[in-house]
Amino acid sequence: MSGDIWHELWERISATLAGHERHWTSRKTVVRSMILAGILTVPAGALMGQAYEGGSPAAAVDPFIGTGRGPGGSINLFPGASTPFGMVQLSPDTESRGYGYHYDQPDIQGFSLTHMSGPGCPNEGDVFVAASTGPVQTQTSDFESTFSRSQESATPGYYRVLLSRWGIKAELTSTDRAGLARFTFPEGAPANVLVPISHTLNYTVAAQVRVENDHEMTGYVEDRVFCGRQASYKVYFAMTFSQPFANFGTWQGDEAGESARISAQGRLAAQTQYGQWVGVYASWPAATEERSVTVRVGISYVDLAGAENNLKAEAAEEDFDQVKRAAWAAWNKALGVIRVSGGTAQQRHVFYTALYHSMLMPSIFSDSDGRYLGFDGQIHHVDAGHLIYCNYSGWDIYRSELPLLALIEPGRMEDMAESVVLMYQQGGWIDRWPQINQYTNVMAGSPLTVMLCMSWLDGLHGFDIKAAWDGMLKDATEAPPANEPYKGEDGIEWINKIHYIPNDKIPYGSVSQIQEDCIAYASLCRLARQLGKVDDAKMLYERALDYRNVFDPNDGFFHPRNADGTWMNRFDPASEDRRQGFIEGSGWHYQWLAPSDLAWLVHAVGADRFNHRLLDFFNYEQPGWFGQWYNPYNETDLEAPFEFNFSGMPWESQRAVRRVLNENYTTAPDGIPGNDDCGEMSSWAVLSMMGIYTVDPASLAYELVGPVFSKVIIQLKAPYPRKTFTIETSGDPESQPYIQSVKLNGQDHNQNWITFSDMTAGGNLQFAAGAEPNRSWGAAPNDAPPSLSTTPEGGS
């Protein structure tokens, strides 16, 4: 930090410290301490170069990373306030009917309490609040405001911006189930807080807001789930104000029309159909000095009583700054589960911001009293000490976010697993992308089967495995009943009959769907063996090999195949046309998706051809969304950089992973590749930067690459038996990305992988790093991670 910035910050707090400076070793110590305590905030980027190295991990987080736009599409992360896995994400919205916030958009429309973190469709944005001065105006264009980046800042659990049009300072913070917005209005102009309750980021089915008295409003919003699905959910809210209203009223109108009709002293505004535009306002007369109004909002997906109770339990008495400091402390504790040293300041910013983004979702769904709304639409109650979670971006997060959370948040993972089991018990099926308490059937495969199997095999047994097994096996072998909201595995009747999905019958991603399904079958096979289900394990082992039926040995690619066994004509492996058999990718991207059985794939393609193709796959001049090269912007080939560990060239995995990290993960607003998809892309970076990754979570094998830090300490929690697992790297990891040798707990370790239990048992993993590859370490056939083909009948 430059001397000028230190001086400026010192001047801002000198009055507070008057007479006490002699008790501090330096001005910098004072400023740093206040920043770390959350008392003092600075503009984003001002502390670049001061990233965590032995101090507060939250100070290394920049919530603006990932809020821009990149070549992989809109990044659509939110910079606002949330707690780890919180129900509330109180954040600015720079658009309507979209993702919420984009760094390049010039206006803030207002602030809403619910946001998902980087999914690929417009979503949520429910319970919207805005502020203005002067006469009350009710259309978005009338109350939105320009803002300056120099007057905007964010830290974990806190966001601040100056709404330039009105001269209003807006500040946001949150608890798990409540959000607080503090608006500081300028002197000399009437002050307004607006609640345009019809404003969401998706499709507002209905809404209602009622003025209860001179300082409280209540209501609900009914919004649709994302990605064009028709199912809807309700968010109830209770909203209190720190100052009694001088005036209030309602409005009713057309969202696309002129200003709505205002009813002064009106108490109830209700939207009954899509397209209506309703809301309420509270106003205060012009004052001779600044006026501060704090708005507290509790939400619930159960009922209004739940919202009121959540507000009372978490934020009714505490002032704004107390809640802000508590949110900061919660993030410091959560992020402190991993401590890193070494690396560059930018790498530490990237790492802790990625870890932060990995801990935003899935979201707490149960109220503070334990009630929650089940997939059967009924109110249920979770046992004390446990939580229900919602919003599982399954197709994305099974790859790296859920393995990361199993390692660092085992208690939460057990509750998340039980939440998925309850989805099955209450709703009838396990979805692949459930939102709130609704089935969306988005994407492919059975990713939450992988999650449940991985969790149990990891030693996390705090969920109902019998019910889980019943639900997973049903999904893997049966078609769901007709006229139900869930879909099950596409083409299951064809899988049962001909052991693949025919492209002429199921044209949507026929090849990639069976590839994804087989990952779940392999995971179930491993679980069956541990549970002693011998017959089921044999059946699932054979089923897990069904992906081979869409592999063409003539050219070594996975191909679309018709029901009569013929291959689709004019197949182009570089095409991303879904009729070519792949979802959000090409034959090149899916060439590598056999993570449970890579030994077979390497052999079937031919080791030399496999390595030649994989080398060519990473031989692009610069990253982009290309059909024939590695795509860092989507999940379809996230495992590919690590597959040299299976083909005898692990040094190429070390090179490829480091290149992807350096080129695609930065501290810029577009510093996360593509959609973060609820923490998936971020968690890929977290694991990779520590030097570990699993291409097949239920295999319990973690491939090794060169860490970017000289030391990583992972704090282990119950039920794991030890307290820490330490990863150390000699030399300079920045300039020496290649592994020369490895020791595990002091013993030479030539395998290019370790097990999950190697980490959770505690101990030490030591890397010797070098600037040039060591082509002998980890390169022998027996050094490769396990595959179905190398573990009879799928044993782990």
Side-chain angles (χ1 to χ4, degrees):
M1 180 180 287
S2 71
D4 289 343
I5 295 176
W6 283 118
H7 178 75
E8 177 186 346
L9 293 176
W10 178 258
E11 292 300 317
R12 287 167 57 186
I13 63 174
S14 60
T16 303
L17 298 172
H20 299 279
E21 293 91 336
R22 66 181 182 275
H23 299 297
W24 297 85
T25 57
S26 71
R27 292 183 176 188
K28 291 184 180 181
T29 302
V30 178
V31 173
R32 276 200 180 103
S33 298
M34 296 187 76
I35 292 169
L36 300 185
I39 299 169
L40 177 67
T41 57
V42 298
L47 293 178
M48 189 62 68
Q50 303 294 319
Y52 164 82
E53 188 167 12
S56 164
V61 174
D62 182 354
F64 291 105
I65 295 175
T67 61
R69 301 179 193 267
S74 299
I75 309 301
N76 62 291
L77 292 177
F78 65 85
S82 184
T83 55
F85 308 98
M87 180 186 290
V88 163
Q89 309 84 28
L90 178 53
S91 191
D93 293 327
T94 57
E95 61 186 358
S96 303
R97 302 291 183 269
Y99 301 103
Y101 181 96
H102 290 294
Y103 193 83
D104 61 351
Q105 291 176 329
D107 300 311
I108 287 177
Q109 296 182 358
F111 312 91
S112 58
L113 273 88
T114 64
H115 298 81
M116 290 199 290
S117 183
C121 298
N123 66 93
E124 301 193 0
D126 306 314
V127 191
F128 184 89
V129 179
S132 68
T133 62
V136 171
Q137 299 183 82
T138 62
Q139 293 296 103
T140 302
S141 59
D142 295 330
F143 56 71
E144 67 183 1
S145 175
T146 56
F147 67 106
S148 169
R149 298 294 169 194
S150 65
Q151 298 291 329
E152 182 187 41
S153 64
T155 56
Y158 176 71
Y159 173 87
R160 180 184 65 181
V161 68
L162 180 68
L163 301 175
S164 305
R165 180 180 181 182
W166 311 115
I168 299 171
K169 182 171 75 170
E171 299 172 273
L172 312 177
T173 190
S174 70
T175 67
D176 287 346
R177 302 172 182 86
L180 281 72
R182 182 166 63 188
F183 299 112
T184 302
F185 296 92
E187 63 184 49
N192 311 308
V193 173
L194 311 171
V195 185
I197 202 61
S198 298
H199 189 295
T200 70
L201 294 172
N202 196 15
Y203 188 105
T204 312
V205 176
Q208 179 177 295
V209 57
R210 180 190 300 273
V211 179
E212 299 288 354
N213 48 52
D214 67 357
H215 64 280
E216 183 178 8
M217 301 175 185
T218 62
Y220 69 85
V221 182
E222 184 176 355
D223 199 357
R224 282 185 179 173
V225 296
F226 80 145
C227 283
R229 275 30 182 195
Q230 302 298 304
S232 64
Y233 60 89
K234 281 186 177 181
V235 185
Y236 297 88
F237 67 91
M239 184 181 300
T240 66
F241 294 73
S242 61
Q243 295 203 22
F245 316 144
N247 295 291
F248 63 86
T250 62
W251 72 79
Q252 182 94 28
D254 182 349
E255 185 176 12
E258 300 298 325
S259 293
R261 183 178 68 257
I262 294 176
S263 299
Q265 303 300 304
R267 289 187 175 273
L268 177 65
Q271 174 186 340
T272 57
Q273 62 185 33
Y274 177 76
Q276 293 177 332
W277 182 247
V278 307
V280 302
Y281 65 89
S283 296
W284 297 265
T288 58
E289 57 185 20
E290 287 186 340
R291 180 196 305 273
S292 178
V293 177
T294 298
V295 184
R296 294 176 172 83
V297 191
I299 67 169
S300 169
Y301 294 92
V302 177
D303 53 24
L304 179 56
E308 292 172 333
N309 189 56
N310 288 341
L311 179 59
K312 181 180 179 181
E314 297 185 359
E317 301 299 330
E318 292 80 2
D319 67 23
F320 184 94
D321 292 318
Q322 286 177 311
V323 174
K324 172 187 168 185
R325 288 192 291 271
W328 175 269
W331 276 112
N332 260 331
K333 181 178 180 181
L335 297 167
V337 72
I338 303 177
R339 299 275 177 164
V340 303
S341 55
T344 66
Q346 174 165 309
Q347 286 169 334
R348 294 190 293 274
H349 275 286
V350 168
F351 179 83
Y352 277 109
T353 303
L355 183 58
Y356 165 82
H357 283 136
S358 301
M359 302 176 86
L360 290 171
M361 292 177 65
S363 308
I364 294 170
F365 188 56
S366 50
D367 285 347
S368 57
D369 62 3
R371 296 186 308 149
Y372 68 95
L373 200 63
F375 276 75
D376 54 3
Q378 302 300 307
I379 297 174
H380 299 269
H381 197 283
V382 65
D383 291 340
H386 295 278
L387 296 167
I388 298 297
Y389 291 85
C390 67
N391 298 341
Y392 295 82
S393 182
W395 183 81
D396 309 291
I397 64 174
Y398 86 88
R399 304 166 198 265
S400 57
E401 184 183 5
L402 292 175
L404 173 64
L405 296 184
L407 178 63
I408 65 175
E409 288 283 356
R412 288 192 192 269
M413 269 299 297
E414 288 181 318
D415 280 355
M416 290 175 186
E418 180 64 10
S419 299
V420 172
V421 174
L422 289 168
M423 177 206 323
Y424 164 65
Q425 292 178 308
Q426 296 161 1
W429 213 264
I430 298 174
D431 193 19
R432 48 188 176 241
W433 215 128
Q435 183 187 357
I436 314 297
N437 67 327
Q438 299 293 332
Y439 293 93
T440 73
N441 304 300
V442 169
M443 301 310 295
S446 298
L448 297 187
T449 287
V450 180
M451 167 198 174
L452 293 173
C453 293
M454 174 203 71
S455 298
W456 190 266
L457 293 167
D458 282 346
L460 304 180
H461 295 170
F463 62 98
D464 186 343
I465 190 61
K466 183 181 185 302
W469 176 263
D470 291 344
M472 292 186 291
L473 190 64
K474 181 184 292 186
D475 183 51
T477 58
E478 299 178 17
N483 303 316
E484 294 290 349
Y486 40 80
K487 190 175 183 181
E489 292 181 356
D490 286 316
I492 189 68
E493 67 280 3
W494 290 103
I495 297 174
N496 290 338
K497 182 178 181 180
I498 62 176
H499 305 291
Y500 64 91
I501 299 174
N503 196 66
D504 55 339
K505 304 298 182 181
I506 310 289
Y508 176 66
S510 62
V511 180
S512 58
Q513 296 237 38
I514 191 63
Q515 289 176 288
E516 296 278 0
D517 292 340
C518 287
I519 299 170
Y521 301 155
S523 301
L524 272 172
C525 173
R526 292 187 171 104
L527 177 61
R529 289 182 64 84
Q530 189 181 91
L531 296 177
K533 297 178 180 293
V534 177
D535 292 340
D536 285 333
K538 291 179 179 178
M539 178 272 293
L540 289 161
Y541 177 75
E542 294 299 327
R543 202 173 183 87
L545 306 183
D546 281 352
Y547 77 95
R548 298 180 183 181
N549 296 323
V550 292
F551 179 83
D552 187 345
N554 294 311
D555 62 6
F557 279 100
F558 293 105
H559 274 228
R561 195 172 188 179
N562 297 320
D564 62 3
T566 59
W567 300 106
M568 189 188 81
N569 292 327
R570 296 183 297 277
F571 171 66
D572 177 5
S575 172
E576 295 188 65
D577 186 332
R578 288 179 177 177
R579 292 170 295 182
Q580 292 274 327
F582 303 98
I583 296 172
E584 295 189 2
S586 69
W588 270 104
H589 299 143
Y590 281 93
Q591 162 84 83
W592 325 105
L593 192 65
S596 303
D597 199 18
L598 280 165
W600 182 89
L601 184 63
V602 172
H603 175 76
V605 175
D608 289 343
R609 182 163 65 169
F610 183 95
N611 283 326
H612 178 78
R613 280 186 178 175
L614 195 52
L615 286 168
D616 189 61
F617 192 57
F618 288 96
N619 191 29
Y620 48 85
E621 292 185 5
Q622 59 184 12
W625 194 298
F626 304 114
Q628 70 273 35
W629 288 309
Y630 178 70
N631 179 4
Y633 306 109
N634 205 3
E635 284 78 10
T636 52
D637 53 4
L638 287 182
E639 76 289 344
F642 302 91
E643 294 195 7
F644 289 109
N645 279 31
F646 293 80
S647 64
M649 298 175 66
W651 63 89
E652 290 295 344
S653 282
Q654 297 154 34
R655 180 189 65 83
V657 170
R658 187 62 62 89
R659 179 186 180 185
V660 173
L661 287 171
N662 288 342
E663 291 182 343
N664 297 106
Y665 291 88
T666 72
T667 55
D670 61 354
I672 298 174
N675 298 324
D676 196 34
D677 285 317
C678 309
E680 171 53 30
M681 308 304 280
S682 287
S683 59
W684 187 97
V686 171
L687 290 172
S688 299
M689 295 177 84
M690 294 193 295
I692 56 175
Y693 190 84
T694 177
V695 302
D696 180 18
S699 74
L700 310 186
Y702 281 69
E703 293 73 49
L704 301 179
V705 293
V708 304
F709 302 112
S710 57
K711 190 171 186 178
V712 178
I713 300 175
I714 301 172
Q715 305 291 329
L716 301 173
K717 303 178 182 180
Y720 303 137
R722 297 292 184 268
K723 292 185 177 181
T724 61
F725 181 70
T726 301
I727 302 170
E728 296 180 287
T729 306
S730 65
D732 176 22
E734 173 66 12
S735 61
Q736 298 176 318
Y738 293 103
I739 298 173
Q740 305 301 299
S741 63
V742 172
K743 289 181 182 293
L744 179 62
N745 297 325
Q747 301 297 313
D748 289 341
H749 188 83
N750 292 320
Q751 292 178 322
N752 60 42
W753 59 284
I754 60 174
T755 67
F756 186 79
S757 61
D758 287 333
M759 294 185 285
T760 58
N764 186 274
L765 182 67
Q766 295 174 303
F767 292 87
E772 299 296 328
N774 178 354
R775 297 173 186 265
S776 62
W777 178 84
N782 290 336
D783 294 338
S787 293
L788 281 178
S789 299
T790 59
T791 52
E793 296 184 7
S796 55

